[in-house]
């Protein structure tokens, strides 16, 4: 099996003799970049990051520099919006015990898969078990995906579908074989790695704020054997990373699955919070992961999908939901007045209520952090501005005003980069992305 995977387990095993400090130094060496640190440096080909291409991921170097900016190294940290888990993974290498919160079940599995410790040979055997079992499974996509949108599998709707039927059959065969494994850690990791292949195997790409069909997708030939080939390659990469960098200064972690607005109440005390919440850009971030959520069985009904979307921050107007809000700050009030004055120019009349509700949600997150953080603890959050009908939403400044009422003092605001506004707003690089640094009083 080792030969068929192309693994060099024997040669890699020598690295297992290195202590956690040497392993960490080697891992950090691979994360060095030229130029200043930024949240969005390309890190897709780095160890662990390459397990799944996550567009919004922090660059590990940015996380390291955030820790370095603190007066002393914290013992614990928390990320209320875990995403791809970069903050928590980097914390483990630094010897800091991480806690992370993630509402998206696929991303929560991705995080837990990265933070978990494995025995490589057992993982290889689990993969072989899955390959053997999948060869004997011939699932009916219409039955396995009974609750999914009809566009997922050929013949789709109106001549469009995301997966060719024979490709979907092989994907689902691997999924069902993975679900039959006894070890939950192996099930989790292999399901995530199967998920990393899905967009490549599909007729769509992730572009901008969602999915679109590939150019010439009807002429694109994706063969069923490519499912196994891509899955095997993903497993190979993961095992190589695990062998090389599995030993870390801290192997412990806490993962809280759920809505950050309420899940923080389950956290133990933490010294430091580092995170980036969804931006109030009227984009439902769950849309990016719909392919993985449905094909891997995280979502089985429309009710599942709606419940997940309602558990996210109120940063979008894509679903009908309550926008009740008690958020108050001088700049927020001024901004809402301007938005309401230009309501006839907005592409959705609910945008002013959505903006207010977003900051109400951010207030809930800050209050949750204050409850689990001792005096003197630090919060660093990277937030992004938005703009509607020419009215700028200065998210950093509004959050800084609200933080005072949540028990935090503003230590500083640092501009990270400029982002492009939507085409409706001119498309210029005029929106700020800012690091907000707070201290707990």
């Amino acid at each position: 099996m080792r030969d068929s995977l192309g693994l060099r387990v024997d040669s890699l095993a020598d690295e297992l003799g290195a202590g956690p400090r040497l392993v960490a130094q080697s891992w950090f060496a691979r994360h060095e970049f030229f130029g200043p640190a930024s949240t969005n440096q390309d890190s897709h080909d780095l160890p662990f990051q390459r397990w799944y291409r996550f567009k919004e991921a922090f660059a590990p170097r940015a996380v390291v520099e955030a820790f370095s900016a603190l007066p002393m190294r914290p013992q614990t940290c928390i990320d209320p919006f875990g995403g791809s888990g970069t903050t928590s993974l980097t914390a483990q290498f630094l010897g800091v015990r991480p806690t992370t919160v993630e509402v998206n079940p696929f991303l929560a599995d991705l995080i837990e898969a990265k933070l978990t410790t494995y025995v490589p040979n057992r993982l290889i055997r689990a993969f072989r078990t899955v390959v053997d079992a999948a060869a004997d499974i011939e699932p009916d996509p219409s039955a396995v995906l009974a609750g999914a949108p009809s566009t997922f599998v050929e013949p789709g709707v109106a001549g469009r579908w995301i997966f060719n039927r024979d490709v979907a059959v092989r994907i689902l065969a691997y999924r069902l074989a993975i679900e039959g494994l006894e070890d939950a850690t192996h099930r989790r990791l292999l399901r995530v790695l199967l998920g990393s292949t899905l967009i490549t195997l599909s007729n769509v790409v992730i572009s901008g704020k969602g999915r679109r069909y590939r150019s010439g997708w009807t002429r694109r030939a994706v063969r069923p054997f490519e499912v196994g080939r891509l899955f095997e390659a993903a497993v190979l990469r993961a095992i190589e990373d695990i062998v090389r960098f599995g030993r870390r200064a801290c192997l412990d972690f806490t993962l809280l699955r759920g809505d950050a607005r309420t899940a923080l109440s389950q956290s133990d005390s933490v010294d430091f919070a580092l995170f980036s919440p969804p931006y109030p850009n009227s984009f439902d971030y769950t849309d990016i992961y719909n392919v993985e959520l449905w094909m891997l069985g995280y979502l089985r009904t429309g009710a599942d999908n709606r419940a997940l979307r309602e558990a996210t921050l109120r940063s979008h107007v894509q679903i009908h939901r309550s926008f009740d809000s008690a958020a108050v700050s001088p700049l927020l009030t001024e901004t809402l007045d301007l938005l309401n004055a230009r309501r006839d120019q907005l592409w959705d009349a609910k945008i002013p209520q959505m903006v207010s509700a977003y900051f109400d949600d951010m207030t809930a997150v800050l209050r949750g952090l204050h409850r689990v953080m001792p005096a003197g603890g630090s919060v660093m959050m990277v937030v992004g501005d938005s703009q509607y009908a020419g009215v700028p939403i200065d998210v950093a400044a509004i959050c800084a005003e609200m933080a005072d009422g949540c028990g935090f003092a503003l230590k500083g605001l640092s501009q990270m980069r400029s982002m492009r506004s939507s085409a409706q707003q001119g498309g210029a690089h005029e929106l700020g992305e800012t690091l907000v640094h707070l201290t707990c009083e």
Side-chain angles (χ1 to χ4, degrees), residues 340-361:
N340 283 311
R342 302 183 187 183
R343 188 180 292 269
D344 60 341
Q345 301 175 38
L346 299 173
W347 58 268
D348 191 296
K350 297 187 293 294
I351 285 174
Q353 295 98 307
M354 180 270 288
V355 170
S356 180
Y358 173 83
F359 288 106
D360 188 66
D361 290 347

Side-chain angles (χ1 to χ4, degrees), residues 15-28 92-95 244-251:
E15 299 185 37
L16 293 174
R21 178 171 296 182
L22 292 178
V23 172
Q25 288 174 350
S26 175
W27 186 75
F28 287 131
Q92 282 189 325
F93 278 102
L94 292 171
R244 290 185 182 278
F245 305 108
R247 299 185 68 186
R248 303 158 202 170
C250 175
L251 297 177

Side-chain angles (χ1 to χ4, degrees), residues 15 90 98 114 116 229 231 244 279-280 284 358 360 377 382:
E15 299 185 37
T90 307
K114 290 181 179 180
T116 296
R229 180 180 62 82
F231 184 33
R244 290 185 182 278
Y279 298 167
D284 182 353
Y358 173 83
D360 188 66
V382 177

